[in-house]
Amino acid sequence: MKRILLVSIGLLLALAASAQRTNVREEVLNDWNKSSGLDCVYDQSPKAATPAPKGYEAVYIGHYGRHGSRYAYTARAYTVLLEMLARGQKEGNLTPYGEKLLADLQPFWDIVRYRVGDLTPLGWQQHQYIARTMVKSFPTVFGKGSKVDACSSASERSILSMSSCCAELSRVAPKTEIYAHQSILDMNATRPNDKNNPFRYEGPATRFPYAESPEAFFLRKFPQYRTVLGRLFKDPDAGLASYTPWNAFFNIYMFIAGMNSIPEEERLDVSGLVTKEEYAILWETDNYDRFREYIKYRTPNSSVVEDIVRKADEALASGQRGAHLRFGHDHVLMSLLMVMDIDGFDTVPSDNDELVYWFQSFRSPKATNLQFVFYKPKKKGGDVLVKLLLNGEEAHFGQLEGFPYYKWADVRTYLLERVAKFAYRPADGQWTVTEVTPGLNYMEFRGMEPVSGSAQQIFVADCDLNQPGFSFRYAMAGEDVGVASDVLRKYDALVSMNAAYERTSVVVKVDGELISNMPYNTVMTSPVPNWKSEAAIYTSADGRTVEIAYEGKGRSLSELRQLYAASAWPNIYTSAPMLIADHQPVGASFAGFHTAAEIAKLNYEDPVRHQGVRHPRTAVALTDNGHLLMVVVDGRRPGVSEGMSARELTLFLEENFHPKDAINMDGGGSSTLCVAGQGDPSTHVVNYPVDNKRYDHTGERHVSTYFYLVKE
């Protein structure tokens, strides 16, 4: 048994039984494809599958896949050897084999120089195969009414891999609805370790655990590098030119390994360059360097695990069959294997020569894919189960019991605990309360919020209207009022916040004057029927009486328009949706239950799209005991503040404040709350408006209407 740095010998023995590959060097020596490491070609042979437990059927798949076979990702995989050979020829230092390889390599470079990083036909075909295999293996996931949502990193080869898979799914599962997309918002699910990812997770510093550098490891393991160079150059050392042995062979190995993926008619015969024994050693040296590179990605790439968990929870709760597909890269997938300790991948042996028994780059071939296949009992009752497939083969979640059909509750807990090991995740959130003035408290919540099941930052001004002197008022933007903090300053207010939607879509009546009425039939210039005035905030002339009413219930648009026009209330501000009406959580069903694919097809002003997804939110609520709540939920910061849908906001308010009535106001980039003496020292903005995309207190948006609270 190998000597391993583990807490428990018992744990080691259990893990070794299922994960340690003690014959890995023999595997690689006898398989040129495996010797190609990250460039090995996806194995399309049938895989053994344990039958599902009796009475269970597959209902959903969570997936992460690497792009398919490609040309080398860097031109240096071709040009380093080309430059060495060209210089060798110029200096008369080439052997006959070196002359032949140079003669072949020059026209080869002319063919591939403009294809660097491109997906090859084989890469396209690999994802077609994976799509067909998913449908064939799990037909109950892809039946009538099923939905597939696919996202990709910004890499063209990943986007094309996604396209191939989705196109084939459309062909073999024609009753499945498919939506594919790529945006910055997808980065935490596809390529979180990108340095430009604004949502990148942070965590404890990661250090390479071995004293020996990859270059020193190479020189120790492959002293025969001169023998290989001697096949090309009369003087092997002179043949290196300006390159170190490590640098030269790092690129030469990529050059050889990448031939697997290139169209057959374009490939060069490199069989005379290295023996299979030499190639196997080169794989081990490259494998060591990949471990050094990928171990530090465990922290940022942990967000993929959280994304898999969150979307699985949503699909299972809604009963929606289908899949979430994510397409990215080897450096993400390999680090995911470490984060989740799949088949012992996160084991770090004390002897770096034994790393190969646990960490193998050929486990991430081109088109590698992880599939979390979820099973539910056909009849009600029973645990949700999940099986993990790595390239079609059943894989282990660390030391978790239940292989291969694990209880999802156990896996979910295990995965979130593993993420917490590598990334700083919000602890269970806590409320903090600060008295601004008697009768007015400022409240903050930061951390994991149990109703939404996500990280949130929530800001609340809680005013007891029973206390004398408080007045809830309305302001419109003007020359000296541009943002919410201007309102706080101008009116010497205690609280200010953004208010209604654009005035062209709502009713605004101030001091008895009807400033705007409901538009006819549509919202703004969209084709979407008007929906933004289903509820209203009414205030008295002095702002000391406040009511929220669900006026749209049972009324047509024309009836609602007439109601507001005829109202005796001096001040009216409409909005939507009504979240809570006489203690009933009506906002929980306002947007219905739809998948991301369905929502993405809708006009932005459609209420389902507007309210059915997570955004920053603003709300006003009233309690039975006369408290006015001015609420802002931050959003669009994965892992910090996810934002809420209208449903989540409704349930959150119901759980935490039990209001009699609550109404949603304009949100997104408009959501801003200012509280005197709190937040930013100069503006008193307490939340983190997202309009400037910097997630600080300075991102206030200029909107047309504001609420503010004063005490006279």
Side-chain angles (χ1 to χ4, degrees):
M1 182 57 61
K2 307 301 179 184
R3 182 164 51 93
I4 308 296
L5 293 177
L6 293 174
V7 174
S8 163
I9 295 298
L11 181 63
L12 167 61
L13 294 173
L15 185 57
S18 63
Q20 192 180 22
R21 301 172 78 116
T22 55
N23 64 338
V24 66
R25 290 190 176 94
E26 290 74 19
E27 283 186 66
V28 171
L29 179 63
N30 295 313
D31 189 333
W32 186 274
N33 190 41
K34 286 184 177 178
S35 290
S36 300
L38 294 173
D39 279 296
C40 70
V41 174
Y42 190 80
D43 177 11
Q44 298 185 18
S45 63
K47 308 297 189 300
T50 305
K54 187 176 180 180
Y56 276 80
E57 64 180 357
V59 296
Y60 171 76
I61 296 174
H63 158 282
Y64 187 91
R66 184 190 179 193
H67 60 75
S69 287
R70 51 148 172 77
Y71 292 87
Y73 75 89
T74 171
R76 289 178 61 80
Y78 306 127
T79 60
V80 167
L81 182 58
L82 182 61
E83 290 169 5
M84 290 169 61
L85 291 171
R87 179 169 176 171
Q89 186 183 57
K90 185 177 181 180
E91 295 174 351
N93 191 30
L94 292 186
T95 65
Y97 179 71
E99 291 283 2
K100 179 182 183 305
L101 187 57
L102 176 61
D104 292 338
L105 188 53
Q106 286 171 325
F108 171 83
W109 170 240
D110 290 337
I111 294 172
V112 303
R113 65 187 307 168
Y114 299 114
R115 302 298 309 273
V116 171
D118 288 356
L119 194 74
T120 63
L122 177 59
W124 180 272
Q125 183 272 330
Q126 287 162 344
H127 283 285
Q128 288 181 316
Y129 168 79
I130 292 167
R132 289 194 301 272
T133 303
M134 277 197 293
V135 175
K136 181 179 179 181
S137 301
F138 312 110
T140 53
V141 173
F142 300 98
K144 184 178 181 180
S146 62
K147 300 179 188 300
V148 169
D149 182 280
C151 60
S152 168
S153 76
S155 163
E156 291 179 358
R157 55 184 174 270
S158 296
I159 294 172
L160 287 171
S161 295
M162 174 177 70
S163 301
S164 169
C165 184
C166 290
E168 189 67 5
L169 283 176
S170 293
R171 188 183 71 81
V172 298
K175 295 181 180 180
T176 298
E177 183 178 330
I178 300 172
Y179 172 61
H181 50 95
Q182 184 279 317
S183 78
I184 291 174
L185 292 175
D186 296 322
M187 291 181 78
N188 263 7
T190 58
R191 194 173 185 173
N193 55 322
D194 190 301
K195 64 181 180 180
N196 296 316
N197 178 11
F199 315 118
R200 183 176 171 130
Y201 283 12
E202 301 296 333
T206 299
R207 295 183 179 179
F208 185 57
Y210 301 119
E212 190 173 31
S213 70
E215 182 171 8
F217 186 84
F218 166 82
L219 292 173
R220 177 169 65 85
K221 287 284 185 178
F222 200 63
Q224 63 266 51
Y225 71 85
R226 286 187 177 87
T227 301
V228 176
L229 291 174
R231 298 182 186 120
L232 301 171
F233 305 101
K234 299 172 184 175
D235 182 341
D237 290 325
L240 283 169
S242 60
Y243 297 104
T244 66
W246 161 239
N247 187 277
F249 275 88
F250 177 83
N251 290 286
I252 289 172
Y253 174 73
M254 280 198 294
F255 167 72
I256 298 171
M259 288 298 161
N260 285 339
S261 295
I262 293 175
E264 207 167 328
E265 63 274 15
E266 297 175 6
R267 293 179 196 169
L268 292 184
D269 180 5
V270 292
S271 59
L273 188 52
V274 291
T275 65
K276 70 174 187 176
E277 290 80 9
E278 292 163 342
Y279 196 39
I281 297 172
L282 285 175
W283 166 77
E284 186 170 349
T285 64
D286 185 77
N287 187 71
Y288 185 74
D289 188 43
R290 298 302 177 179
F291 175 76
R292 174 203 58 81
E293 178 185 359
Y294 297 158
I295 193 171
K296 65 178 180 289
Y297 293 146
R298 293 177 302 182
T299 291
N301 293 342
S302 293
S303 64
V304 178
V305 180
E306 284 200 340
D307 188 70
I308 289 170
V309 170
R310 178 172 62 84
K311 289 177 179 173
D313 283 346
E314 292 173 355
L316 294 169
S318 68
Q320 177 62 62
R321 298 197 179 206
H324 280 98
L325 311 179
R326 304 159 185 85
F327 293 84
H329 305 268
D330 57 277
H331 45 84
V332 178
L333 200 141
M334 291 290 281
S335 60
L336 290 180
L337 298 181
M338 289 189 273
V339 170
M340 296 183 283
D341 197 24
I342 304 305
D343 290 344
F345 244 71
D346 200 43
T347 303
V348 181
S350 57
D351 184 347
N352 62 353
D353 281 336
E354 297 176 358
L355 179 66
V356 293
Y357 299 125
W358 302 94
F359 180 93
Q360 304 96 22
S361 59
F362 61 72
R363 298 291 298 278
S364 180
K366 299 295 175 57
T368 313
N369 60 98
L370 278 169
Q371 295 177 31
F372 295 69
V373 186
F374 290 82
Y375 294 78
K376 280 186 174 181
K378 297 176 183 178
K379 297 181 180 180
K380 289 186 178 181
D383 296 309
V384 174
L385 304 180
V386 61
K387 177 169 70 170
L388 178 66
L389 300 178
L390 173 58
N391 302 323
E393 296 182 318
E394 295 169 349
H396 297 78
F397 289 106
Q399 289 302 293
L400 207 58
E401 295 182 357
F403 175 84
Y405 290 95
Y406 298 90
K407 292 181 180 179
W408 171 233
D410 294 340
V411 171
R412 188 182 189 281
T413 299
Y414 169 79
L415 293 178
L416 295 180
E417 288 175 349
R418 291 292 300 180
V419 168
K421 180 178 179 180
F422 302 109
Y424 296 138
R425 307 307 301 128
D428 290 342
Q430 301 291 328
W431 283 103
T432 59
V433 181
T434 304
E435 184 181 68
V436 180
T437 191
L440 176 63
N441 288 332
Y442 166 61
M443 307 171 66
E444 281 188 6
F445 178 96
R446 299 173 189 265
M448 290 301 293
E449 192 283 308
V451 174
S452 63
S454 300
Q456 302 289 355
Q457 293 185 152
I458 303 162
F459 310 87
V460 181
D462 178 357
C463 177
D464 183 358
L465 293 178
N466 300 301
Q467 299 277 346
F470 286 112
S471 177
F472 184 64
R473 298 182 179 180
Y474 177 85
M476 288 188 291
E479 290 184 5
D480 56 349
V481 172
V483 293
S485 58
D486 294 336
V487 174
L488 195 80
R489 171 187 48 78
K490 177 178 179 179
Y491 297 104
D492 194 23
L494 294 169
V495 183
S496 64
M497 70 187 302
N498 67 294
Y501 295 105
E502 62 284 341
R503 291 205 305 265
T504 56
S505 296
V506 295
V507 177
V508 175
K509 184 180 182 182
V510 181
D511 296 333
E513 179 185 355
L514 192 63
I515 295 173
S516 64
N517 203 347
M518 287 177 60
Y520 284 85
N521 300 323
T522 60
V523 178
M524 298 177 68
T525 57
S526 78
V528 178
N530 185 280
W531 60 272
K532 292 185 175 181
S533 292
E534 76 162 12
I537 299 176
Y538 297 108
T539 67
S540 59
D542 60 6
R544 296 179 183 179
T545 301
V546 183
E547 290 187 11
I548 300 173
Y550 188 14
E551 304 291 23
K553 184 177 181 180
R555 290 187 173 94
S556 67
L557 290 179
S558 61
E559 290 171 336
L560 194 56
R561 191 177 292 110
Q562 292 171 11
L563 173 77
Y564 291 134
S567 175
W569 281 94
N571 302 303
I572 307 173
Y573 323 107
T574 65
S575 192
M578 188 74 173
L579 301 174
I580 297 175
D582 196 18
H583 297 289
Q584 298 302 306
V586 295
S589 58
F590 177 82
F593 298 90
H594 302 273
T595 65
E598 291 174 318
I599 290 173
K601 294 178 180 179
L602 302 174
N603 183 284
Y604 182 77
E605 291 294 339
D606 189 290
V608 170
R609 178 165 179 173
H610 220 271
Q611 302 298 321
V613 297
R614 289 177 168 176
H615 287 299
R617 296 284 173 186
T618 299
V620 177
L622 291 169
T623 67
D624 279 323
N625 61 353
H627 281 243
L628 170 74
L629 305 173
M630 302 168 71
V631 182
V632 164
V633 179
D634 271 353
R636 300 176 184 167
R637 291 188 73 190
V640 178
S641 189
E642 301 276 356
M644 293 185 180
S645 65
R647 170 182 170 80
E648 290 170 330
L649 181 58
T650 299
L651 299 178
F652 165 79
L653 292 172
E654 181 183 41
E655 175 71 20
N656 289 272
F657 299 102
H658 315 291
K660 179 180 181 296
D661 299 297
I663 184 174
N664 180 73
M665 306 306 296
D666 188 19
S670 301
S671 289
T672 306
L673 182 68
C674 304
V675 179
Q678 306 299 317
D680 185 270
S682 59
T683 64
H684 304 295
V685 176
V686 295
N687 73 309
Y688 298 83
V690 299
D691 223 33
N692 64 356
K693 297 180 173 59
R694 293 205 300 265
Y695 311 107
D696 55 22
H697 293 302
T698 66
E700 292 183 83
R701 174 183 288 180
H702 289 247
V703 297
S704 59
T705 58
Y706 299 93
F707 291 134
Y708 66 97
L709 183 74
V710 295
K711 189 173 186 181
E712 299 173 332

